[in-house]
Amino acid sequence: MTNDSRKYQRLRESMVKNQIEARGITDPKVLAAMGKVPRHLFVSEALMDQAYADHPLPIGEQQTISQPYIVAHMTEALRLGPDDRVLEIGTGSGYQAAILSRIVFRVYTIETIRSLHMRARKLFDDLNYSNIVTRYADGTNGWKDESPFDAIIVTAGAPEIPMPLVNQLDIGGRMVLPVGGRLTQDMVKLERDEDGIHQSMLGGCRFVKLVGEHGWDK
Ligand code: SAH
């Protein structure tokens, strides 16, 4: 192992301890995944030294990679298991998809900006994360051919809950997404059971816009 990766491993361990565990994340699968995925490879070279810091970072195209704690919080809220098939809307850097892929059977992730989609795809291949399926499309319509999903995560802020996504959630399925205004949103959790959809709120958050047919206009 090179000095460099030892350095990043140390930063990663301290991120898990001081940002994630310290704020109450306990799911061992989430902690293990966050301790393993090389977050510094998901940002540009100039930002690598900041990759494990307690804030979001720009990834180009006016988009951002979420703060590590937010990634952990949303992932834990999905209550994932090893057989789950998960849909993510908003691949971005690919970091959230990478975390999910270390926990579940398969991740389907959709990105609407071509350059980000291409970069994430290459990184997944380089890292041998072979259970991530990527698609360049408007994710607000979901991925009907692969539905239903055990879990759905939206990593961009929606003006309202996109109904195609709710319809692609399996019975027993969980979904988390930021819903609200252009600048700030509430993190919403939906759960589907035999009786229908149950909704709960996980707190305030700040995401870039979900742009598409069932999102914001361009
Ligand atoms: N999960 C990402 C966060 C990326 S920021 C990560 O871990 O880095 C949100 C991303 O959602 C942006 O890349 C943006 O282009 C994308 N996005 C916005 N609207 C979308 C849509 N309708 N379908 C798919 N992706 C969308």
Side-chain angles (χ1 to χ4, degrees):
M1 199 186 287
T2 65
N3 285 333
D4 233 22
S5 69
R6 251 200 294 277
K7 171 178 111 181
Y8 288 120
Q9 196 178 326
R10 265 201 306 276
L11 289 170
R12 197 155 57 238
E13 280 164 11
S14 127
M15 171 191 85
V16 170
K17 186 160 167 279
N18 301 316
Q19 300 174 37
I20 315 292
E21 283 190 280
R23 294 201 184 102
I25 303 295
T26 57
D27 184 337
K29 301 187 291 299
V30 176
L31 297 174
M34 305 267 321
K36 202 156 49 184
V37 174
R39 181 172 162 97
H40 60 284
L41 300 183
F42 292 79
V43 300
S44 65
E45 221 166 329
L47 295 176
M48 280 189 182
D49 284 350
Q50 293 181 58
Y52 298 95
D54 195 11
H55 51 72
L57 287 169
I59 55 171
E61 308 281 355
Q62 294 165 334
Q63 308 303 319
T64 55
I65 177 174
S66 300
Q67 179 189 8
Y69 171 72
I70 295 292
V71 173
H73 183 49
M74 292 176 82
T75 307
E76 182 173 69
L78 291 173
R79 292 202 324 272
L80 299 169
D83 298 328
D84 284 344
R85 297 166 64 256
V86 182
L87 174 66
E88 180 195 27
I89 312 304
T91 312
S93 69
Y95 180 68
Q96 174 73 71
I99 295 294
L100 295 167
S101 78
R102 303 302 86 195
I103 301 173
V104 304
F105 175 66
R106 187 158 289 151
V107 179
Y108 300 83
T109 183
I110 308 179
E111 172 57 53
T112 186
I113 297 178
R114 193 173 168 79
S115 60
L116 296 178
H117 154 78
M118 305 273 284
R119 199 166 70 198
R121 176 72 265 164
K122 177 168 188 315
L123 190 51
F124 298 148
D125 292 340
D126 290 348
L127 290 168
N128 264 313
Y129 289 175
S130 56
N131 62 339
I132 305 178
V133 191
T134 57
R135 183 177 177 188
Y136 166 55
D138 171 7
T140 65
N141 287 307
W143 197 326
K144 198 154 189 298
D145 291 350
E146 295 293 349
S147 68
F149 296 96
D150 300 297
I152 300 177
I153 177 171
V154 183
T155 59
E160 50 204 53
I161 299 168
M163 278 321 286
L165 300 183
V166 179
N167 294 334
Q168 292 174 26
L169 197 58
D170 206 351
I171 293 176
R174 296 82 58 201
M175 170 158 143
V176 289
L177 77 167
V179 183
R182 287 170 191 274
L183 293 179
T184 61
Q185 306 87 29
D186 290 305
M187 189 60 71
V188 176
K189 178 172 180 182
L190 301 182
E191 303 186 71
R192 159 168 273 163
D193 64 16
E194 290 79 4
D195 305 325
I197 305 286
H198 305 274
Q199 186 171 325
S200 53
M201 307 302 252
L202 303 181
C205 56
R206 205 177 253 275
F207 276 80
V208 298
K209 281 188 296 181
L210 181 73
V211 177
E213 192 178 342
H214 302 272
W216 295 98
D217 292 335
K218 275 240 159 68

